[in-house]
Amino acid sequence: MKFLCVECDRQMGFAERELPGDGTLAAVFTCPACHRAVAMLTNPMETQLVASLGVKIGGRTLPQQPMELLRSSMEGGRADAFADAPPAGKAHPSWDEAAKERLERVPAFVRGMVQRIYTDYAAEHRIALITPDVMDQARRELGLEGM
Ligand SMILES: [Zn+2]
């Protein structure tokens, strides 16, 4: 997804984004020449679509999802639509109560994906128990503030 400043004929750059708790995504693009800004606001389903297409959020490409997963999440909105089995040979971290609570506040349609991002992060760092501190650390390192 790209925006073009018509006046300058320049491609606008991604300036900021936000993923508030209600699942909406706001992205701001600015023109490098005239600094005109446009904001894109998407509803939760569009956010899901954007995320599933691998749009970079905070410098990290979210895991790309096959379209059939997108379709199944549209049909039923299953919370575990994006939950995969952990990669073979990796530890399977568990979640402490506070971290589980925090995960519960993530919109259901992206919860599985968010859970997998944190689980993969913990597995890669050989962290056995996911706590809110681990989630903060992962968000900082992965550039996922707001998730
Ligand atoms: Zn411009």
Side-chain angles (χ1 to χ4, degrees):
M1 190 173 310
K2 293 182 172 70
F3 289 93
L4 195 70
C5 178
V6 175
E7 208 141 298
C8 309
D9 196 26
R10 292 278 297 270
Q11 187 181 314
M12 294 177 119
F14 192 54
E16 57 181 272
R17 58 85 187 88
E18 202 181 337
L19 281 170
D22 64 1
T24 57
L25 177 142
V28 176
F29 296 81
T30 56
C31 171
C34 70
H35 302 290
R36 187 192 303 268
V38 294
M40 179 183 72
L41 191 67
T42 66
N43 68 30
M45 188 55 75
E46 291 162 345
T47 302
Q48 176 63 77
L49 186 67
V50 169
S52 71
L53 292 175
V55 168
K56 279 190 174 189
I57 295 178
R60 181 182 196 270
T61 304
L62 292 174
Q64 230 164 342
Q65 304 297 338
M67 286 309 282
E68 65 192 65
L69 279 185
L70 180 65
R71 195 184 61 220
S72 70
S73 74
M74 280 176 169
E75 281 167 359
R78 289 190 303 128
D80 63 348
F82 292 93
D84 281 344
K90 274 189 183 171
H92 189 41
S94 50
W95 293 68
D96 83 353
E97 286 307 313
K100 273 186 213 163
E101 258 174 49
R102 198 153 124 184
L103 190 65
E104 285 300 309
R105 295 201 294 269
V106 174
F109 64 92
V110 289
R111 193 176 299 140
M113 187 174 68
V114 169
Q115 181 175 10
R116 193 176 68 186
I117 289 170
Y118 287 129
T119 303
D120 285 353
Y121 174 87
E124 278 163 21
H125 291 74
R126 305 192 173 281
I127 296 166
L129 184 67
I130 299 170
T131 64
D133 281 348
V134 171
M135 295 170 82
D136 286 338
Q137 186 188 331
R139 277 168 33 182
R140 273 196 305 276
E141 283 190 28
L142 303 176
L144 295 172
E145 286 86 356
M147 288 183 79

